[in-house]
Amino acid sequence: MARWLLKSEPFKYSWDRMVADGTTHWDGVRNHQASNNLKAMKVGDRAFFYHSNEGLEVVGVVEIAREYYPDPSDEAGRFGMVDVRALMPVKTPVTLKTMKTDPLLQNMALVRQSRLSVCPVSDDEWAHVCALAGIEA
């Protein structure tokens, strides 16, 4: 099972809305590297739900519910999306500041490529962020 981090601006789509919706599609990705990460996702993979721009923190965990398929909002047909399902909130949000200063997370894609909206997360990074968040890995 692979692990990921998905960024969302809370004023556009917040964790609270994700929980209320239960399942949603993750669309609008127009960066090729982020799109390739979406393509690599498999049903059952888990991802951190990260509030970007406001908060700058991991606030929940989602599960991939449907693998990559065409994004109808992309008229050129080059990009796709996945569906995600809300699993759980974190007990303690993990901030970008915390992740940037933690020696165990220095190689995390979020830290190295802060503008990438869909990032891979290694098993060790996943376990460490879960511990910081007060949830079981």
Side-chain angles (χ1 to χ4, degrees):
M1 176 187 323
R3 313 284 189 194
W4 308 95
L5 182 138
L6 300 170
K7 290 182 178 180
S8 181
E9 297 173 5
F11 71 92
K12 289 185 179 178
Y13 197 83
S14 68
W15 171 251
D16 290 340
R17 183 162 170 209
M18 176 75 243
V19 170
D21 290 347
T23 301
T24 193
H25 52 273
W26 207 265
D27 64 348
V29 173
R30 297 296 183 265
N31 171 286
H32 288 285
Q33 187 176 359
S35 181
N36 286 339
N37 289 334
L38 287 179
K39 288 176 186 176
M41 292 178 175
K42 301 295 180 206
V43 170
D45 284 357
R46 301 238 167 137
F48 291 125
F49 191 103
Y50 177 86
H51 277 166
S52 63
N53 290 342
E54 298 171 30
L56 301 174
E57 59 193 1
V58 171
V59 293
V61 177
V62 296
E63 179 178 61
I64 307 309
R66 181 179 174 190
E67 293 175 15
Y68 192 85
Y69 61 101
D71 182 343
S73 71
D74 175 26
E75 294 178 10
R78 292 189 315 250
F79 295 98
M81 58 189 183
V82 298
D83 289 353
V84 297
R85 176 182 309 113
L87 288 183
M88 72 184 91
V90 298
K91 290 181 181 171
T92 304
V94 181
T95 66
L96 179 60
K97 182 179 179 181
T98 297
M99 290 184 271
K100 281 184 170 183
T101 59
D102 191 314
L104 298 176
L105 300 175
Q106 292 306 296
N107 291 321
M108 192 170 182
L110 176 67
V111 173
R112 288 184 296 107
Q113 296 176 285
S114 62
R115 297 195 58 151
L116 193 60
S117 64
V118 180
C119 306
V121 176
S122 75
D123 290 342
D124 289 343
E125 292 164 348
W126 182 269
H128 189 62
V129 172
C130 285
L132 293 172
I135 60 173
E136 197 173 309

